Amino acid sequence: MGKSRTTKFKRPQFNAVGLPVNAVKEAAVEEEQLGEDSCPAAELLEKLESPSADVREFACASISRVVQQSQTIPGFLQRDAVRRLGPMVLDSSLAVRETATGALRNLSACGGQEVCENMVKHDVMTPLTALLREVRLFYNQALSVFNKAGLLDLVVQCLERQPHNMELAISAAHCLHTVTEDNPELLCSMNTAVLGALDNVLLTSQPSMAHSLLRTLAAGTLWNLKASLPAARQAQTLGAVVATLSQCLALDAGTIIPENAPAVTDGEDAAAAEPAMEEMDEEEEEPKQKKNGKAVKVDNDFSDLLPRGKEELREATALLTAQQTSLEIIVNMCCSDDPSDDEWEEESSSDESDNGPDSLSDGMSNLMSPLCLSAEVHEALINHSIPEKVLKKTEFPKTDAMDVCHQNPSWRGLIKKMQRVQSRALTCLHSILSAMDAESLGGPAALQGAAQHLSTLVFGAAEIPKDEEFLEAVISAMRSLLQMIASKNIPQCMTPQQLMSLSEAATRCDVVSVRVNAVAILGITGSTLAKEKGTAGTLQMIGNALLHVATRDADLVVNGEALDALFDVFADGDEAETAAKNIQLLPALKALQPVFKAKIRKEGRGKYSPQQLCVLDNIKVNLRRFIGYLEKVVKKKVLFKISP
């Protein structure tokens, strides 16, 4: 199995599409009034035609809420909801656009594969594509205005206010971290004053978490600007950047948060019962004032990141944001500079052998090449013990910190942030594994220890976690680690029962890359076991699981990865031959071959990229060759038996 290109993190360019809190609450009230058994589809869809933007927004928000109950979805689909909602994402009102996009998102997420196919059939992609192009255009225009208006110096002046106004400095640092990424035009404006201001931030020694966040953002900005640095100072700057990230990751949020969280009062206990507190990512509602007779939200803060008036909470939030950002920067350090790395999605590869296909993607990305890590970056990461610190962060969040945040209503928003730090750490571990060799990571013992730890994360609970972000990150890391272990002939650590549990959980996951990586893990483990004696029974289980995925998964990319894994597992060896015979692999693949070819011909052109189709065509050819190989094996066995 080949190395897989890792996720590259982009700074957020605009707010993620979601449903406003107030809209959710209003829709919930309406839903209660209508009753759980009624479907207000007709009335809500009719309101989409209203000349009033407020009415259209309310209708979209209500639909977004109602379709979260899957039994209501057929009623909306029967009334052509997709065609009627689609144009709303291009509405003249930005609020309507946001809520309409949220409604379509919930419709797809709660409706499953069949509803998604229905949405594509009813041309939902045309307005969504137009929206994405428009948003990207706006962002490009904003960058162009920023560059031409000479705003860089102004933002740097705000950054230099950090001794006296940390909130302003942090806002400026966030801005610089965003606008300096993938902005070659801005690099020409870099001067010693800008670089000096960033260096000064890195040299600060204040122990507060806000300063840690500020230093982390400055480090990320300097990494974005690496191409504009004089050659003589690149190594020094790289060392300072990695040292800053290392210091941030060395902080133990699992200890700091419980130590600084306030004691829970009776009033807070009562507040904990309020439904609004159940939203993980919500901050407390801001005070409101009257404007033209209407209540409007007053935002007295520069950033949602650091709420005023709660110093301990602000510090904890700043720490978690700093650590998440540090992990994302390290991921980007481990990624190649190929422009095709711009997606957040993970790309995965398959067999490196001459007979195998070049690679498989997760459904959105291009073909991959092995990662290259410069000697300077490699040395800096190792010297500052980054792999060990990243692995330590995958253990997060600790029970004590989670309990404290559950008990304090105003701290509950940190739960999701802690979980995100863990997911980013797993993604970062995947990047490091894909970019470094085994010796740099501590050798066989360290790799086996890491494998045991990841297995504990997945199988330590009564059932495999269902959180998709976590599952995607941990399975990606596990795949990279098992690939490395297999390449060094180090004994695998997963039991057959764990393998089957992982496979079963992955087949139920809606995320394509999770399913791709799960079948790849089966292939890696199976190909290793095929070299050992007495493993035919386990190989049979793996083979049956892979055949099931290759035959029944709805996504061609997953089908192809499962076939590729079958090629690896049953390529050679007595144990593999025995298992292949017992599961009737040859007739199963012969029956699958025309179906796979027809599926590529029927679905491929409309759903998959040219690169993906190239990979799938390679797998189609390899399937024919592998069937020929199995036929030769069977023929040889027959000749051997009848020979005198």
Side-chain angles (χ1 to χ4, degrees):
M1 303 294 288
K3 287 185 177 181
S4 57
R5 181 182 293 171
T6 57
T7 302
K8 184 172 181 180
F9 288 102
K10 298 283 288 181
R11 301 266 45 83
Q13 298 174 354
F14 49 85
N15 288 334
V17 172
L19 188 61
V21 175
N22 290 342
V24 172
K25 291 176 181 176
E26 291 172 4
V29 171
E30 180 184 71
E31 184 182 353
E32 290 173 4
Q33 293 172 346
L34 290 168
E36 293 185 0
D37 296 330
S38 61
C39 176
E43 180 182 352
L44 292 176
L45 291 172
E46 177 134 355
K47 288 180 180 178
L48 295 178
E49 309 297 328
S50 171
S52 168
D54 288 341
V55 174
R56 297 197 302 275
E57 179 189 359
F58 179 75
C60 291
S62 300
I63 292 170
S64 183
R65 174 70 181 185
V66 172
V67 297
Q68 292 181 46
Q69 296 187 3
S70 57
Q71 69 269 21
T72 67
I73 292 177
F76 282 93
L77 296 181
Q78 290 166 8
R79 292 168 175 83
D80 212 15
V82 176
R83 287 191 188 277
R84 298 171 75 173
L85 269 173
M88 308 306 291
V89 304
L90 299 173
D91 195 90
S92 57
S93 165
L94 291 178
V96 173
R97 291 185 178 199
E98 181 181 7
T99 50
T101 309
L104 287 170
R105 182 265 176 200
N106 287 352
L107 190 62
S108 63
C110 302
Q113 181 72 24
E114 186 177 347
V115 171
C116 291
E117 291 176 356
N118 180 280
M119 293 174 72
V120 172
K121 180 180 177 182
H122 286 84
D123 201 29
V124 74
M125 296 308 298
T126 297
L128 285 180
T129 301
L131 174 64
L132 291 174
R133 285 176 178 162
E134 187 175 314
V135 170
R136 182 64 183 172
L137 178 63
F138 286 157
Y139 179 69
N140 289 339
Q141 288 177 339
L143 270 187
S144 179
V145 170
F146 184 94
N147 295 340
K148 293 176 181 177
L151 297 179
L152 177 63
D153 292 338
L154 179 61
V155 176
V156 170
Q157 290 176 24
C158 295
L159 179 69
E160 291 174 331
R161 296 292 298 167
Q162 58 95 5
H164 313 291
N165 190 334
M166 278 298 294
E167 289 179 342
L168 181 61
I170 287 175
S171 295
H174 274 293
C175 179
L176 285 173
H177 194 201
T178 299
V179 299
T180 54
E181 186 168 21
D182 297 330
N183 189 355
E185 183 182 349
L186 188 65
L187 296 186
C188 301
S189 305
M190 288 301 126
N191 53 53
T192 55
V194 176
L195 299 176
L198 293 167
D199 285 339
N200 288 337
V201 171
L202 292 193
L203 292 173
T204 60
S205 57
Q206 289 90 334
S208 75
M209 301 302 104
H211 279 91
S212 181
L213 173 58
L214 186 66
R215 289 190 289 267
T216 299
L217 293 168
T221 302
L222 283 169
W223 173 255
N224 292 341
L225 299 175
K226 60 186 180 296
S228 66
L229 295 175
R233 63 169 292 176
Q234 286 187 356
Q236 178 184 359
T237 300
L238 174 63
V241 166
V242 177
T244 299
L245 304 179
S246 176
Q247 292 165 6
C248 178
L249 294 179
L251 296 170
D252 185 2
T255 301
I256 293 172
I257 288 175
E259 287 178 351
N260 290 278
V264 182
T265 66
D266 292 339
E268 286 176 321
D269 281 334
E274 295 295 324
M277 292 298 180
E278 296 300 322
E279 295 294 333
M280 293 291 193
D281 281 329
E282 290 179 26
E283 298 294 342
E284 288 187 315
E285 190 172 343
E286 298 286 345
K288 293 183 178 180
Q289 65 183 24
K290 294 287 184 177
K291 182 178 180 181
N292 297 330
K294 293 178 66 177
V296 295
K297 192 172 182 179
V298 179
D299 188 356
N300 294 320
D301 198 5
F302 288 102
S303 168
D304 293 334
L305 193 63
L306 302 174
R308 289 181 180 274
K310 297 186 177 180
E311 293 303 320
E312 297 86 357
L313 179 57
R314 295 175 68 215
E315 286 283 278
T317 305
L319 172 58
L320 294 176
T321 304
Q323 293 191 335
Q324 176 183 332
T325 305
S326 295
L327 292 164
E328 292 172 0
I329 295 169
I330 296 168
V331 169
N332 291 349
M333 286 182 168
C334 293
C335 287
S336 69
D337 290 329
D338 189 330
S340 65
D341 273 342
D342 286 343
E343 286 100 359
W344 278 49
E345 301 298 330
E346 181 202 55
E347 297 173 339
S348 57
S349 68
S350 49
D351 195 3
E352 282 182 331
S353 67
D354 292 337
N355 293 329
D358 296 323
S359 64
L360 262 185
S361 74
D362 66 354
M364 292 192 64
S365 309
N366 296 326
L367 295 176
M368 294 163 297
S369 58
L371 296 177
C372 295
L373 195 62
S374 71
E376 294 80 7
V377 173
H378 181 281
E379 182 179 2
L381 295 177
I382 295 298
N383 288 344
H384 289 281
S385 304
I386 293 297
E388 294 88 339
K389 290 176 180 176
V390 170
L391 183 62
K392 189 73 175 174
K393 281 289 170 282
T394 65
E395 300 174 2
F396 200 68
K398 294 182 178 178
T399 303
D400 289 348
M402 292 286 283
D403 290 344
V404 164
C405 292
H406 274 297
Q407 293 165 9
N408 289 271
S410 60
W411 284 59
R412 286 189 179 172
L414 296 186
I415 294 174
K416 191 67 176 178
K417 296 181 187 297
M418 288 190 287
Q419 293 169 337
R420 187 163 289 121
V421 168
Q422 182 188 35
S423 293
R424 293 293 189 271
L426 288 164
T427 300
C428 192
L429 178 63
H430 165 59
S431 301
I432 289 171
L433 289 166
S434 300
M436 293 186 179
D437 54 41
E439 288 68 31
S440 298
L441 298 171
L447 294 177
Q448 283 187 313
Q452 291 288 352
H453 167 61
L454 293 184
S455 296
T456 301
L457 290 180
V458 177
F459 303 109
E463 59 180 20
I464 293 179
K466 294 181 175 61
D467 180 79
E468 291 182 351
E469 184 178 12
F470 169 80
L471 198 57
E472 184 172 18
V474 73
I475 289 182
S476 297
M478 188 176 290
R479 174 181 178 173
S480 293
L481 184 56
L482 293 180
Q483 279 182 184
M484 183 175 286
I485 287 175
S487 69
K488 296 296 179 181
N489 294 318
I490 302 171
Q492 298 281 359
C493 62
M494 292 182 66
T495 66
Q497 292 75 20
Q498 289 177 335
L499 278 173
M500 293 305 105
S501 297
L502 181 65
S503 175
E504 184 181 352
T507 56
R508 296 195 302 266
C509 182
D510 290 335
V511 181
V512 170
S513 62
V514 170
R515 306 203 301 275
V516 165
N517 283 321
V519 295
I521 288 172
L522 290 178
I524 295 166
T525 307
S527 61
T528 302
L529 292 175
K531 302 171 186 176
E532 302 173 6
K533 295 293 184 183
T535 58
T538 303
L539 295 179
Q540 287 177 216
M541 288 195 301
I542 292 174
N544 281 324
L546 291 173
L547 277 174
H548 178 86
V549 174
T551 305
R552 301 191 181 182
D553 197 280
D555 194 285
L556 265 172
V557 170
V558 184
N559 299 149
E561 185 74 36
L563 286 171
D564 194 54
L566 282 167
F567 305 156
D568 286 342
V569 174
F570 296 97
D572 192 23
D574 293 338
E575 298 293 331
E577 287 183 14
T578 301
K581 179 181 177 181
N582 291 343
I583 65 173
Q584 296 291 298
L585 181 60
L586 178 56
L589 291 179
K590 281 185 173 181
L592 175 60
Q593 185 181 26
V595 177
F596 185 66
K597 290 171 62 177
K599 196 173 180 181
I600 293 176
R601 187 169 56 251
K602 181 180 178 181
E603 301 179 11
R605 303 299 168 191
K607 292 178 62 176
Y608 302 96
S609 69
Q611 293 90 344
Q612 291 171 319
L613 289 175
C614 178
V615 174
L616 291 167
D617 283 337
N618 284 338
I619 292 178
K620 180 178 66 176
V621 172
N622 288 339
L623 176 57
R624 175 174 54 80
R625 292 174 178 171
F626 190 69
I627 288 173
Y629 160 75
L630 291 178
E631 288 175 334
K632 289 180 181 178
V633 171
V634 172
K635 186 176 181 180
K636 187 184 297 185
K637 289 286 186 182
V638 172
L639 290 175
F640 178 78
K641 286 182 179 180
I642 65 175
S643 62

